[in-house]
Amino acid sequence: MEKGTNTELIMGFLKDLPIFKGLPDRHLRHLSGDFIVRNVSKGETIFYQSDNSTDLYIVLEGTVRASLLNHDGEELILATFCKGNFFGEMSLLDGKPRSATMIAVDDSTLGILRREKFLLAVKNDPMIAIDLLSAIVQRMRMANGMIESLAFLDVSQRLVKLLLQIAKTEGYKDEDGFFRIKKLTHRELAAHTGASREAITKVMKVLAFREMVKEKGGYFLISPDAEDVYNE
Ligand code: CMP
């Protein structure tokens, strides 16, 4: 892609991002020109936890996830970022190593801004820092929600919470009231819920027996009664 084309493309994204959208067009154009574009393939690692890079990233196309991985290769997904989201703000701000490993969920295109360029932009437009703080606080609230689930819900409750969340955001309702969502592997469910794959397999068996979650082709069918698991 030509640099000019990149600048226009990135400017379009920055205009929609709460942290940059208040910038005058002149500053936005200048900042957009400082981004470089990187394509990553599905499953590719963008950077690892503890890496020393400090760039800011914006997802221009595709989806990526921030994960913690242990020595056995088990994964806990902290957050998923899609088109228009930014990530890498933690090392960008404190200059310390990356707090999580970032992996491409799909083939994706990323815009990358070097820390020095970002700091210069903040110097010129300090409101960027205020808006970034607000975005970080929002992420802290989400993280508190995750801590709450890990501390107070058991594996079946966490799993049902996840499935219902997916059902409500991207599922659709069949005639019999069941939500239909794209099937996930037990490993993926484990990574989303902070459980072991073995624990997920056990819970899925129980949920299937109680007809709360059924597998059909490439889909899960989630019963509206699955919410009952919360109240047990
Ligand atoms: P950084 O630490 O630079 O690199 C990993 C990135 O993952 C981090 O910046 C954030 O963008 C993102 N990240 C880490 N932890 C969380 C979390 N709990 N919630 C949302 N995003 C996170």
Side-chain angles (χ1 to χ4, degrees):
M1 223 185 295
E2 295 291 317
K3 184 162 168 57
T5 324
N6 278 347
T7 303
E8 289 307 315
L9 174 81
I10 289 167
M11 199 169 156
F13 277 90
L14 297 190
K15 272 187 169 170
D16 284 337
L17 261 183
I19 57 169
F20 294 122
K21 75 174 179 197
L23 293 188
D25 265 10
R26 199 167 45 87
H27 290 189
L28 259 185
R29 184 171 302 278
H30 190 264
L31 187 64
S32 304
D34 287 336
F35 274 81
I36 54 164
V37 172
R38 174 178 165 194
N39 292 311
V40 287
S41 307
K42 179 176 174 166
E44 189 175 334
T45 299
I46 297 155
F47 55 68
Y48 288 94
Q49 181 179 5
S50 302
D51 276 3
N52 280 316
S53 58
T54 52
D55 306 329
L56 177 71
Y57 287 72
I58 295 180
V59 182
L60 303 177
E61 202 61 64
T63 309
V64 303
R65 65 181 189 267
S67 290
L68 300 178
L69 302 164
N70 72 8
H71 289 299
D72 297 328
E74 285 177 330
E75 180 178 4
L76 173 65
I77 300 174
L78 298 170
T80 302
F81 301 110
C82 48
K83 191 170 172 171
N85 294 150
F86 66 83
F87 61 89
E89 75 289 354
M90 292 171 67
S91 296
L92 172 88
L93 288 173
D94 67 6
K96 298 216 169 105
R98 296 293 187 188
S99 63
T101 296
M102 200 62 67
I103 302 163
V105 176
D106 299 314
D107 289 347
S108 304
T109 306
L110 310 170
I112 307 174
L113 183 69
R114 297 201 64 78
R115 183 168 192 246
E116 310 78 74
K117 302 281 186 189
F118 175 81
L119 295 179
L120 204 63
V122 172
K123 236 186 205 168
N124 292 332
D125 296 276
M127 271 312 284
I128 296 176
I130 303 289
D131 292 327
L132 181 59
L133 277 178
S134 157
I136 291 172
V137 168
Q138 212 174 319
R139 287 184 181 178
M140 274 190 77
R141 290 183 191 278
M142 302 272 294
N144 282 1
M146 182 183 266
I147 293 168
E148 189 176 34
S149 293
L150 289 171
F152 300 132
L153 300 182
D154 62 28
V155 174
S156 62
Q157 290 170 323
R158 298 205 300 267
L159 182 57
V160 166
K161 184 178 173 187
L162 170 75
L163 294 173
L164 287 172
Q165 253 169 16
I166 300 173
K168 284 171 190 166
T169 49
E170 39 190 273
Y172 56 93
K173 229 176 187 173
D174 279 351
E175 283 147 26
D176 53 6
F178 274 70
F179 292 103
R180 181 185 289 256
I181 64 170
K182 219 174 100 193
K183 197 163 150 181
L184 288 100
T185 64
H186 288 188
R187 186 175 292 279
E188 286 168 331
L189 292 171
H192 278 284
T193 51
S196 67
R197 194 179 48 74
E198 293 77 10
I200 292 291
T201 300
K202 266 190 209 158
V203 167
M204 283 297 274
K205 271 191 194 145
V206 175
L207 292 175
F209 178 73
R210 295 177 67 186
E211 301 200 331
M212 286 180 163
V213 179
K214 301 182 201 171
E215 294 190 21
K216 193 173 172 193
Y219 294 96
F220 284 142
L221 301 176
I222 319 291
S223 162
D225 297 336
E227 301 236 13
D228 293 351
V229 171
Y230 272 172
N231 309 318
E232 287 167 355

